[in-house]
Amino acid sequence: MDLRLSSAEPTAAEQDVVDTALSGMLATPTDNQPFTDTGHNARGRRHLLLPALHAVSDTVGWISPGALNYIARRLSVAPADVYGVATFYALFSTEPRAARVVHVCDDIVCSLAGGKAVATALTAENVCWLPSPCLGLCERAPAVLHQLAGEPDFSQAPATPAKVLVAARGGTDAATADQEFANARMSAPQSGRAGVRLLGRIGVIDPTSLDDYRAHGGYAALRRAIQLGPSRVIAEVRDSGLTGRGGAAFPTGVKWNGVATAPQRPHYLICNADESEPGTFKDRVLMELDPFGLIEAMTIAGYATGCEVGYLYIRGEYPLATRRIQAAIEIACRRGYLGSDVMGEGFAFDIELRRGAGAYICGEETALLNSIEGYRGEPRNKPPFPSVSGLFGKPTVINNVETLYNVLEILQIGGPHFAEIGAGRSTGTRLFCVSGAIAVPGVYEVAFGTTLRKLIELAGGVTGELRAVLLGGAAGGFVLPPQLDMPLTLEGAREIGATLGSGVVLVLSTAADIAGILRRIAAFFRDESCGQCVPCRVGTVRQEEALARLTRGAPRGSWETELVLLSDLAQVMQDASICGLGHTAPAAVQSALALGLLTAPPSPLSNGSTTVKVRP
Amino acid sequence: MLLSTIRRLVTITVDGRELRVPDGSTILQALYAVGDTTQADTPVLCWAPNLTPVNACRVCVVEVEGSRALVPCCARKVEDGMQVRTNPERVRHSRRMVLELLASSVDLSQAGGDVQRWIASYGVDPQRYGPPVAPADDRDHRHAGHHHYPDGSTAETVAQPVKIDNELYVRDYSRCIMCYKCVKACGTDAQFTFAIAAAGRSFDIRIATEYNSELPESACVYCGNCIGVCPTGALKSVREHVLRESGQWDPAAETVTTTICSFCGVGCNLELHVQHGQIVNVTSPSDHGVTHGHLCIKGRFGFQHVQNLPNQTNTHTGTPE
C-alpha cells in the first residue's frame, strides 16, 4: 500500500511528540533514513495510533493535518483511516481549538448539583467550554475537566464558578488541583472503618508509596497465588463464585479458565478501566487511592491465565487516576514487581497503560479491543468471543477494575470462604456509587443481599422526599419507594425487572425533573452510539425525538401512538443491535414509562396546576 | 466455485425443516442455497457476495436457539444442530424497523427494486416519525459527543448537499445508509487504496476522506469499485447523475452487453449498460473469477472514446458532442 498524503507538514513540536510517543516501539527516522520502520513493521504497530493522537492533542490542543500526515507516515496507516479514528473520540478535535478547554458535566447528578451555574459563568466570561457527559465525579458534583494543551489535564470537583474561572485562566495547575482530592472520606465515607474489604486500603495508605502498600498487606495475594500455581488460582476464583462487576456479571473463573486453556499464544489480559456509565465512579476511586492494588491484581490475573502483557485501558477523563496508575506502574517496574522476572519468581508480566479519549462505547469489551488496536471503537460481532479471538486475534481475558480487586480478597481468604459472603449466587461484596439526593454521597461497600433501603440509610438517607432511585445507571432502570426492601443481588434486581449494572444508585427526590433526566439519558445514548448498526444509530435519535415530543406535551397523534412508537424502537434496539449499548439504550425510558414516572407537562391553559399521569 | 475445497456437511434446522449445508457457510448462504422462496428472499443491505460481511445494517436478522438477541445471518456461520427461525414476529419486527428507520432518515428512492419490495412487504411506515428536517450543510463538521437537542417536531435525516468534485463520480450522501461497502471495496476487500473511511460517530457518522478533502486531493484512484457496491445510489457516475438530474435516465430502456475489457491482458469481464445507444455505466459480474465484480479506472470509465465521435449530435441528450 502506498500512502498518498496531502502537502501539509507537521511542525517541529508535533513531529517531536509523535516521535517520543512512538520511541522504543519504532525506530525514529533520521536525516539519512527518513522512514526506517515501514510497511509491515509499522503497520504491526497500529496499536500506537491512539497514543500518538493523544500525544499531539495533549501538546498542541488539536490534530492538525500536518500532524495527522506525520502519524500516518510513521505508522503506515492511510490518512483517511487516521482521520476516521480521530473523529471518533470526543476529546480530540480535528479543527483548531483553544489551548484550554473546560468540559462541564451536564449529566444527571451534576445538573442536580448546580452544574449549570458553572456553565453560565463560563459563557459570561467568554471561556471555551463544552458540555460533557458524566465525568465520574458524582460524589463531588458538580464537576469539570480542564483539557489543556502543553500541560497536564486536571479535574475540579466540587466546582464553583469562581474556582473554575481561576483555573480556566491558568491560575491553577494539576498538582494544586489534585490536592483537592486528598480527602478520601469524601469519596469513600466508609474508609478507615472496620468491615470493608475492597475499600480496606482506601484513605489508609499513601497511594504513591509501594512500601506503604506492602505494609498494609500488599503483594501478599500475589505470593499466595505463586504458592498455589496458576490452575489452583483459577480454581479458587471459580470456587468463589465471583462474577464480573462491570455490568454483565459473567463468572470470572469460567472466563479465566477459557483463556488459560486456550492453545493459541500469546494470551492477553485487559483491565477495563473505561468507566463511563453515568453515575459510576467506583473504579476511579479505587485507582486513585489504591493504585498498587490494581497492579497486583492484574499481575495475578496475568499469572493465572498465562498472559505476559496486560493492557490497562483507562478512561480519558480521569487525569488523576491516570497519574496515580502511571506512577504505580513505574515504581512496580523499578522494584521488580513488574517486568521480565516478577518478584524473582521466574514469570514475566508487564502493563501497558492506554488512555481512552471520550467514548462510552469503548467500555464495551470488543469496542475496547478495536480501540486498543488503533481502529475506531466499534464493537465487533460475537461470536467469536474475546476469550477465543480477542486482542490482535488472540485469546484475551477482559476484567473490570472492581472485579480484579476482588481477586486479591479471594486469595487472602480463599474461594470457598469468599463464596459464603453475600447471598445466593451473588457472592462477595459489591461497591455501589451512591449519588444524587443523598446526605453523604460516595462509594459504599456492602455485602450482596443488603437491601437498597439499608444502603441509602448507610449513606445518611435521602435529602428531601424520595421519588425514585435510578439503579444501574443510564443503562439501568428505576426503583420506586415501595421497592426499597429489594435485596441488592443479581437475582433480587432481576425479580423487579431492574439491574445492578455497574453499581449506580442515583437517588432522586421529588424535586428532580424526571422528564429532563430521561431526555438527558436519551441524548446520552444518541451521542455515544458508535453509529455502526442501524437499530442503535437511528433508534437512539428517534427515541430522543419521541421523548422530546412527549415531555413537551406535543405528541404526534396521541400519547398512545407515541408509547407504541417508543416500544417498537425499544424492541428493535434490544433485539437487533450489535452490542450492549444498543440493547440497553431504551432501558431507562421503558422503565420510567412502565412505572408511570413520566407525567405530562402542565398544560399552559390550566395555570400549570394539573398533571396527567401517563400509563403505558 | 469449481476449485473450492470439499467441506463436511452439517445439519441445521430452519423453521422446522432440516437442511444439510457445507460447514463454514453462513446462515445466509444456506438460505440462499437450500432455503424456500421466502427464506431465500432474506433482505440484505450491507452484505454483498464479493465483500466480507460487516453485519452493520441488521436487516437480515434471524432467531437462533440459545441466543438472546437476534443474529445477523449474513455473518453467522452455521453449526451442527443449529436451530434457526426466520419467521417469528420479532424477526419481522426488527426487519421492518430497520427498513423504517433507514427510510425515515435516508433517501432510498434510488435503492434497488428489492429494497422497494421489502419496504412494501414488511409494512414500513417512515412517516410516523414526523416530517423530515431541512437538509443540513454541517454534517461534515459535527463533533463526536455533541448534538443540538431536538424538540421532536421534525425527524432528523442525513439530507445534505451532493458532493461533485471530479469528472467521474458524485457522492450523494443523502442516500447513504452507512453499509460500509464502499470503505471495504476501497480498502481490504478490493482496491487497498484506503481513500475513504467512516468518520465521526453516532447518527453523525459519515464516509469521509481525511479532513473532508475533495477526491482529487485524496488517495482516490477512481477505480469506481465503491460505485459498484453502493446499494442506494449514494455513489454513482457523473454520467448517471447528469442523466437523472435532467430527467433522461431511462432504466426501462437499458440493455446489458457482456464483453471483455480491451485495455490490458488481464481479461476482465465487462457488462456495458446501454441506454438509447449510449453506454451509461460499466460493471463487472461479482461472480467473475478474475474481477469479483471489481474493475480499474480504465475498465469502468474508459469507454467515452466509443461514443466520442466528431461532429455528431448525441441523439439521446440532444447536445453536440
Side-chain angles (χ1 to χ4, degrees):
Chain A
M1 184 187 90
D2 295 324
L3 290 180
R4 188 178 148 178
L5 303 169
S6 72
S7 56
E9 290 290 337
T11 64
E14 288 166 345
Q15 193 165 331
D16 237 35
V17 292
V18 174
D19 285 342
T20 312
L22 305 184
S23 67
M25 300 296 267
L26 279 178
T28 304
T30 60
D31 286 345
N32 297 334
Q33 289 183 302
F35 286 93
T36 37
D37 270 329
T38 54
H40 279 293
N41 205 13
R43 278 196 292 281
R45 301 278 184 238
R46 178 162 177 159
H47 63 95
L48 295 172
L49 180 52
L50 192 53
L53 289 170
H54 261 305
V56 172
S57 180
D58 287 348
T59 315
V60 198
W62 69 295
I63 317 284
S64 72
L68 185 131
N69 277 350
Y70 190 68
I71 294 173
R73 272 166 86 183
R74 287 296 317 271
L75 294 174
S76 196
V77 177
D81 261 20
V82 181
Y83 181 75
V85 172
T87 52
F88 187 83
Y89 296 100
L91 290 185
F92 293 148
S93 175
T94 51
E95 285 166 11
R97 189 163 78 171
R100 307 182 78 89
V101 180
V102 190
H103 297 268
V104 182
C105 178
D106 70 347
D107 222 312
I108 304 169
V109 181
C110 284
S111 295
L112 293 171
K116 205 157 193 170
V118 175
T120 313
L122 293 177
T123 309
E125 295 290 323
N126 228 354
V127 170
C128 176
W129 71 275
L130 292 167
S132 165
C134 180
L135 289 168
L137 293 159
C138 320
E139 85 278 20
R140 297 158 183 267
V144 301
L145 168 74
H146 293 268
Q147 193 186 3
L148 313 173
E151 354 170 357
D153 300 348
F154 58 85
S155 314
Q156 282 184 308
T160 59
K163 271 202 320 202
V164 177
L165 275 172
V166 169
R169 296 196 174 113
T172 310
D173 65 359
T176 321
D178 286 355
Q179 279 164 18
E180 302 264 325
F181 291 83
N183 181 3
R185 275 269 163 90
M186 204 167 160
S187 292
Q190 291 165 306
S191 82
R193 281 190 221 166
V196 288
R197 296 163 185 274
L198 304 173
L199 299 176
R201 278 183 288 262
I202 301 291
V204 175
I205 59 160
D206 170 4
T208 61
S209 162
L210 176 59
D211 292 324
D212 208 14
Y213 176 69
R214 288 181 58 214
H216 287 84
Y219 282 101
L222 179 56
R223 283 193 198 287
R224 174 82 184 128
I226 293 165
Q227 258 174 23
L228 291 172
S231 54
R232 282 179 62 199
V233 170
I234 294 177
E236 291 287 339
V237 173
R238 205 188 303 134
D239 290 347
S240 73
L242 175 66
T243 52
R245 305 294 200 237
F250 189 82
T252 308
V254 176
K255 200 186 261 186
W256 283 22
N257 192 49
V259 173
T261 55
Q264 228 193 346
R265 296 273 160 171
H267 296 172
Y268 288 109
L269 169 73
I270 293 176
C271 170
N272 185 346
D274 192 42
E275 175 179 68
S276 314
E277 183 68 44
T280 316
F281 46 93
K282 62 189 176 68
D283 296 346
R284 192 203 92 237
V285 171
L286 287 172
M287 290 187 290
E288 282 178 0
L289 297 168
D290 188 12
F292 290 103
L294 185 56
I295 311 283
E296 182 184 356
M298 281 182 72
T299 312
I300 295 169
Y303 172 72
T305 55
C307 307
E308 294 197 346
V309 182
Y311 286 82
L312 202 168
Y313 189 97
I314 192 167
R315 193 176 176 202
E317 289 91 335
Y318 281 178
L320 175 58
T322 308
R323 279 193 277 280
R324 291 270 162 84
I325 290 281
Q326 178 91 56
I329 292 175
E330 276 161 24
I331 295 170
C333 279
R334 220 169 38 234
R335 299 272 296 269
Y337 287 90
L338 287 174
S340 55
D341 183 15
V342 174
M343 297 204 308
E345 295 287 347
F347 74 95
F349 188 71
D350 273 306
I351 295 179
E352 285 243 7
L353 183 61
R354 291 302 163 89
R355 277 162 70 201
Y360 169 70
I361 186 60
C362 289
E364 198 280 339
E365 57 181 10
T366 57
L368 196 159
L369 295 174
N370 276 341
S371 180
I372 292 180
E373 289 184 20
Y375 293 90
R376 292 162 54 79
E378 294 173 351
R380 301 175 182 172
N381 206 42
K382 292 188 269 193
F385 290 92
S387 55
V388 177
S389 173
L391 191 64
F392 309 118
K394 303 296 182 195
T396 303
V397 53
I398 307 173
N399 285 136
N400 165 263
V401 173
E402 184 190 345
T403 315
L404 286 167
Y405 277 92
N406 273 290
V407 172
L408 301 176
E409 185 66 18
I410 290 168
L411 284 167
Q412 269 153 18
I413 64 172
H417 187 181
F418 185 93
E420 286 163 18
I421 311 165
R425 283 188 48 249
S426 308
T427 62
T429 58
R430 182 79 214 251
L431 298 182
F432 287 96
C433 314
V434 187
S435 63
I438 191 87
V440 191
V443 178
Y444 287 86
E445 179 177 1
V446 293
F448 269 115
T450 309
T451 63
L452 184 53
R453 186 185 305 280
K454 204 130 184 242
L455 176 63
I456 291 175
E457 280 166 13
L458 192 61
V462 183
T463 51
E465 192 193 331
L466 180 66
R467 177 79 177 96
V469 174
L470 178 58
L471 192 63
F478 293 93
V479 174
L480 295 184
Q483 300 167 311
L484 279 191
D485 288 312
M486 65 165 287
L488 291 165
T489 56
L490 303 171
E491 302 82 15
R494 201 172 305 134
E495 220 160 81
I496 61 160
T499 167
L500 298 184
S502 54
V504 174
V505 176
L506 208 164
V507 182
L508 300 168
S509 73
T510 43
D513 165 23
I514 300 274
I517 287 169
L518 288 176
R519 287 193 63 179
R520 182 66 190 94
I521 291 174
F524 173 78
F525 284 112
R526 188 264 184 229
D527 270 337
E528 298 297 334
S529 162
C530 79
Q532 190 183 194
C533 73
V534 176
C536 176
R537 178 179 76 230
V538 192
T540 52
V541 171
R542 296 292 178 248
Q543 172 172 271
E544 189 191 11
E545 288 168 352
L547 207 55
R549 292 192 294 269
L550 273 185
T551 54
R552 242 171 5 103
R556 267 184 71 76
S558 63
W559 283 85
E560 285 67 36
T561 52
E562 293 284 21
L563 293 182
V564 169
L565 189 139
L566 279 169
S567 132
D568 279 356
L569 290 168
Q571 203 190 328
V572 70
M573 284 194 266
Q574 280 159 358
D575 277 348
S577 297
I578 292 178
C579 77
L581 188 152
H583 297 158
T584 54
V589 174
Q590 288 300 310
S591 158
L593 289 172
L595 297 175
L597 277 172
L598 192 62
T599 47
S603 156
L605 298 174
S606 58
N607 292 331
S609 56
T610 58
T611 55
V612 183
K613 203 146 200 190
V614 184
R615 296 231 171 265
Chain B
M1 225 185 290
L2 202 63
L3 293 175
S4 62
T5 48
I6 295 164
R7 288 182 298 188
R8 179 172 87 87
L9 293 179
V10 297
T11 306
I12 64 169
T13 311
V14 181
D15 301 329
R17 190 161 69 97
E18 281 199 356
L19 302 176
R20 302 266 293 157
V21 291
D23 194 13
S25 7
T26 60
I27 300 174
L28 183 68
Q29 285 167 333
L31 296 180
Y32 279 170
V34 285
D36 63 29
T37 335
T38 327
Q39 290 160 355
D41 191 33
T42 300
V44 286
L45 290 168
C46 70
W47 179 88
N50 54 349
L51 298 175
T52 341
V54 292
N55 56 73
C57 77
R58 318 302 279 188
V59 80
C60 70
V61 287
V62 294
E63 197 174 79
V64 170
E65 186 86 35
S67 178
R68 197 169 34 144
L70 300 175
V71 307
C73 73
C74 66
R76 183 64 173 266
K77 299 251 169 74
V78 294
E79 291 155 31
D80 205 23
M82 193 181 238
Q83 302 273 339
V84 180
R85 283 179 290 274
T86 69
N87 55 9
E89 178 45 36
R90 64 194 281 244
V91 167
R92 283 194 61 82
H93 176 82
S94 278
R95 292 180 178 180
R96 170 172 71 88
M97 288 300 289
V98 166
L99 290 165
E100 194 169 283
L101 291 174
L102 283 175
S104 70
S105 57
V106 183
D107 180 354
L108 293 179
S109 60
Q110 291 176 13
D114 283 342
V115 177
Q116 312 300 346
R117 186 164 45 78
W118 293 324
I119 285 177
S121 67
Y122 281 92
V124 168
D125 174 19
Q127 268 73 47
R128 66 173 172 147
Y129 301 99
V133 75
D137 54 10
D138 69 335
R139 281 195 63 87
D140 286 348
H141 300 280
R142 293 186 183 173
H143 193 94
H146 296 281
H147 72 283
H148 292 292
Y149 288 8
D151 68 0
S153 58
T154 51
E156 177 84 327
T157 73
V158 299
Q160 58 192 298
V162 187
K163 286 185 166 69
I164 308 176
D165 52 19
N166 68 87
E167 290 172 16
L168 293 179
Y169 46 92
V170 301
R171 296 179 289 155
D172 184 1
Y173 288 131
S174 302
R175 304 176 187 281
C176 176
I177 58 167
M178 284 306 298
C179 68
Y180 289 66
K181 280 179 179 169
C182 55
V183 177
K184 288 275 162 194
C186 187
T188 48
D189 275 2
Q191 194 61 30
F192 281 86
T193 290
F194 303 96
I196 47 172
R201 193 171 80 192
S202 70
F203 191 75
D204 305 325
I205 192 173
R206 60 194 207 272
I207 303 294
T209 57
E210 62 278 13
Y211 296 95
N212 314 304
S213 61
E214 300 198 326
L215 276 192
E217 268 74 60
S218 78
C220 179
V221 295
Y222 303 97
C223 63
N225 288 331
C226 52
I227 298 183
V229 294
C230 180
T232 55
L235 303 173
K236 59 170 98 66
S237 63
V238 165
R239 178 170 296 263
E240 178 177 338
H241 178 69
V242 168
L243 289 173
R244 279 183 184 273
E245 288 295 293
S246 59
Q248 299 180 74
W249 182 251
D250 190 2
E254 189 169 298
T255 59
V256 179
T257 305
T258 305
T259 181
I260 293 175
C261 183
S262 57
F263 277 108
C264 78
V266 172
C268 296
N269 268 28
L270 298 185
E271 289 175 333
L272 306 178
H273 298 252
V274 178
Q275 291 181 13
H276 303 288
Q278 294 276 323
I279 302 172
V280 290
N281 272 325
V282 175
T283 59
S284 182
S286 64
D287 59 354
H288 184 237
V290 173
T291 67
H292 298 288
H294 305 302
L295 291 169
C296 74
I297 181 172
K298 289 177 281 187
R300 199 177 294 273
F301 296 110
F303 56 84
Q304 268 89 344
H305 66 281
V306 176
Q307 49 210 33
N308 202 13
L309 301 176
N311 302 324
Q312 199 188 15
T313 301
N314 184 329
T315 50
H316 184 36
T317 61
T319 51
E321 294 216 340

